[in-house]
Amino acid sequence: MIRLQMNYGQKLFLTATLPLVLAVVTISVLVTLQSRQMAEQEIHTLEEKLIAAKRDELKNYLSLARTAIINIYGRAAPDDEEAKLAVTQILAGMLYGQDGYFFVYDYDGNNLVSPRYTQLIGRNWTGMEDPNGTPITDELIRIARTGSGYHGYEWTKPSTGERAQMVTYVIGLQDWRWVIGTGVFIDDVIAAVSSARATVESRIQRTFLYIGGLTMAALLLVFTSGMFINLRERRAADAKLKKLTQRVFDAQEEERSRVARELHDGISQILVGVRYALDSARRRFASDDARAGETLDRGIAHLSGAIHEVRRISRDLRPGVLDDLGLGPALKSLVEDFGHRTGIKTEFSTVPFRNRLDDDAKTALYRVAQEALTNIERHAGASRISVDIRGHKNGATLRISDNGRGLDQDRAAASPSSGLGLRNMQERIEQLAGTLRILSSRSGTVIEANVPLTHILQPEGGTGSPKQTKASA
């Protein structure tokens, strides 16, 4: 299975763009829903207004028709055929517009007047429906029996011969049992509503395009910014890495120079003295000089000094006691040796660790102490030092204090080489996610290194209960 690994720039871009994309999608959905809802309300209102106007128009047409026949209908008896014929003639002649006309049915479903569709006259149309199954004749008769009302259905348009939606208004002549009505086609209303919907959809599409354009511009801006930040951070990291590498090289060269000086000034001089003593002893033995034994003893003493120097240099490079006995005994040996070598009064204190430090923490704290003592010896001019190492619930703390002249922090900041030891201590502790504090004044300096609890190991052979044997650092 292939696993994709993202670099820092890709993670940054994804982190920045994902919320933006989610926000844009959410906003787009909300805008679409709100726009469509508002548009539907507007379209529905428009449709209602247009249809209401059509209905008012139908009422006016029926009022004109009623005015035209009211005198005849009002004086006629229910069975006055002459009056009925006169009324049908009047209504058949009242045409308006391209498609407007009046129609008449009796309550039995017989068509009496239909000037635009003469083929309907004289036939019974009970049960007639439009293509959608909407009843026509029966519903018109029902409405007329109740007085008046509207009814909508599909009907053939006289001017085009095509079917279209129609709204009719009918009234009932109860004495004659007639249905008189007229209708208007509302295809223009449907066209206006469809046009409004098309306009709304076009407006929504434009809004989507605007949102998409703004989103792409924002993503491009985020991508460009991320690339710029990534390049800048990479350059800064490269520069920092170069400085760190150079510092490592400088530290290595300094350590090599120190070892070379100690070998040359210490062991080399002692070995030269041993050689001269052995040469002198050989000559005196050859001449049976009584002082040959003294010279040989002096050479042996010089050789013992050389062995001691080799052990000291080896201990400075990597003390074996650190691996064998732990941090506490190693620091104690370091402090005691420092006191013997420099004559400075030393004090060492520790509290046995309930848990053990890991190798990285032991090495870092030992090197911090070693660097601090070296700085005290070279620069502090102190007469007394104190070293304390102890474990606690938050980890471990190494505290080194002296009564010297303190640190000139301005000079250390101005000269990178003078603060190399302090930077080394700082970096060692930072690699352990710990903290290093340096408090300095004219009365002395305190260096405190703290290692977090993550570098404390559990006691060997158990779960760390109080009854178990406590292991030292």
Side-chain angles (χ1 to χ4, degrees):
M1 184 175 61
I2 300 176
R3 298 181 65 183
L4 299 177
Q5 297 291 335
M6 294 187 295
N7 57 30
Y8 173 77
Q10 292 171 336
K11 291 179 180 178
L12 179 64
F13 180 73
L14 181 62
T15 303
T17 55
L18 188 58
L20 177 62
V21 172
L22 291 176
V24 169
V25 171
T26 304
I27 291 173
S28 301
V29 172
L30 291 177
V31 167
T32 302
L33 293 177
Q34 291 292 331
S35 299
R36 285 210 170 114
Q37 185 178 4
M38 294 177 62
E40 285 297 328
Q41 290 178 354
E42 293 177 359
I43 291 172
H44 184 66
T45 302
L46 174 64
E47 186 176 12
E48 287 182 345
K49 288 182 179 180
L50 293 176
I51 293 177
K54 293 287 186 180
R55 289 181 173 182
D56 291 340
E57 183 181 355
L58 290 175
K59 276 189 175 182
N60 293 332
Y61 288 147
L62 258 297
S63 296
L64 293 175
R66 191 165 186 171
T67 301
I69 65 173
I70 189 65
N71 290 330
I72 299 175
Y73 175 73
R75 293 193 297 266
D79 55 351
D80 190 341
E81 296 297 330
E82 292 183 1
K84 291 180 180 181
L85 179 61
V87 170
T88 57
Q89 292 175 348
I90 293 173
L91 293 176
M94 295 182 68
L95 302 176
Y96 57 91
Q98 291 182 338
D99 302 309
Y101 65 96
F102 291 90
F103 58 84
V104 178
Y105 289 90
D106 61 20
Y107 284 180
D108 294 328
N110 298 307
N111 182 271
L112 305 178
V113 176
S114 182
R116 300 284 189 184
Y117 300 98
T118 57
Q119 70 272 17
L120 300 177
I121 301 174
R123 300 174 61 183
N124 187 283
W125 297 101
T126 303
M128 184 171 58
E129 297 179 345
D130 69 358
N132 298 322
T134 304
I136 299 176
T137 309
D138 295 345
E139 184 65 17
L140 294 176
I141 294 172
R142 186 194 66 79
I143 295 173
R145 286 179 180 275
T146 61
S148 62
Y150 298 94
H151 184 44
Y153 50 88
E154 281 191 8
W155 194 252
T156 303
K157 199 172 184 179
S159 60
T160 62
E162 298 178 353
R163 302 191 73 86
Q165 190 69 24
M166 184 180 187
V167 175
T168 58
Y169 181 71
V170 295
I171 61 174
L173 299 182
Q174 306 301 337
D175 293 341
W176 289 358
R177 296 171 54 82
W178 277 12
V179 178
I180 300 178
T182 187
V184 292
F185 292 93
I186 58 172
D187 51 344
D188 55 341
V189 174
I190 296 174
V193 171
S194 299
S195 176
R197 283 198 172 92
T199 302
V200 169
E201 289 297 327
S202 176
R203 193 164 58 209
I204 291 175
Q205 290 179 359
R206 286 199 304 270
T207 303
F208 261 105
L209 291 177
Y210 293 151
I211 294 175
L214 292 175
T215 303
M216 292 301 298
L219 291 177
L220 182 61
L221 179 62
V222 171
F223 177 76
T224 305
S225 302
M227 289 293 294
F228 175 75
I229 293 173
N230 190 21
L231 290 176
R232 187 180 65 181
E233 292 296 328
R234 181 170 296 180
R235 289 175 180 173
D238 290 342
K240 190 174 182 180
L241 181 60
K242 289 180 180 179
K243 291 181 180 179
L244 181 60
T245 304
Q246 185 61 42
R247 217 181 298 165
V248 171
F249 290 154
D250 293 342
Q252 289 177 345
E253 290 300 324
E254 182 180 357
E255 185 67 16
R256 289 171 180 172
S257 299
R258 183 184 67 81
V259 174
R261 281 196 309 270
E262 290 184 351
L263 290 176
H264 179 272
D265 298 340
I267 297 177
S268 179
Q269 297 295 330
I270 294 174
L271 292 178
V272 169
V274 171
R275 178 182 177 182
Y276 282 129
L278 292 178
D279 284 342
S280 177
R282 180 178 56 81
R283 288 193 301 269
R284 287 180 178 179
F285 274 121
S287 60
D288 293 331
D289 190 338
R291 293 176 299 172
E294 295 178 1
T295 305
L296 185 59
D297 291 339
R298 189 166 59 251
I300 293 173
H302 287 326
L303 188 58
S304 298
I307 294 173
H308 178 74
E309 282 296 311
V310 170
R311 288 177 176 174
R312 184 184 65 79
I313 294 173
S314 175
R315 184 177 64 250
D316 290 342
L317 292 176
R318 178 67 183 184
V321 68
L322 182 63
D323 298 322
D324 297 336
L325 300 180
L327 181 61
L331 288 177
K332 183 178 180 181
S333 176
L334 178 67
V335 171
E336 289 176 351
D337 182 70
F338 175 82
H340 294 155
R341 187 178 70 254
T342 61
I344 298 175
K345 183 179 179 182
T346 61
E347 179 183 348
F348 177 77
S349 60
T350 183
V351 175
F353 280 66
R354 182 169 178 268
N355 298 328
R356 298 174 297 113
L357 287 169
D358 60 20
D359 291 338
D360 292 338
K362 287 193 295 186
T363 301
L365 291 177
Y366 182 84
R367 293 305 182 190
V368 168
Q370 196 175 37
E371 191 69 44
L373 294 179
T374 301
N375 289 338
I376 292 173
E377 180 181 0
R378 293 178 179 177
H379 310 295
S383 61
R384 178 176 54 81
I385 67 166
S386 174
V387 178
D388 179 83
I389 177 72
R390 63 185 61 238
H392 46 77
K393 63 179 181 179
N394 296 323
T397 299
L398 170 66
R399 181 183 176 89
I400 304 170
S401 60
D402 65 73
N403 62 347
R405 65 175 64 95
L407 296 175
D408 188 352
Q409 297 186 3
D410 295 334
R411 183 172 63 87
S415 178
S417 60
S418 64
L420 184 61
L422 297 179
R423 286 199 299 272
N424 288 340
M425 289 190 287
Q426 183 73 38
E427 289 171 1
R428 286 183 182 276
I429 298 302
E430 285 181 353
Q431 287 179 354
L432 302 176
T435 58
L436 181 73
R437 293 196 309 161
I438 301 176
L439 306 175
S440 183
S441 65
R442 293 183 179 180
S443 60
T445 302
V446 176
I447 298 177
E448 185 177 279
N450 293 284
V451 175
L453 192 61
T454 54
H455 292 277
I456 304 295
L457 303 177
Q458 290 296 325
E460 294 180 345
T463 60
S465 63
K467 293 181 180 181
Q468 292 174 339
T469 303
K470 294 183 179 179
S472 65

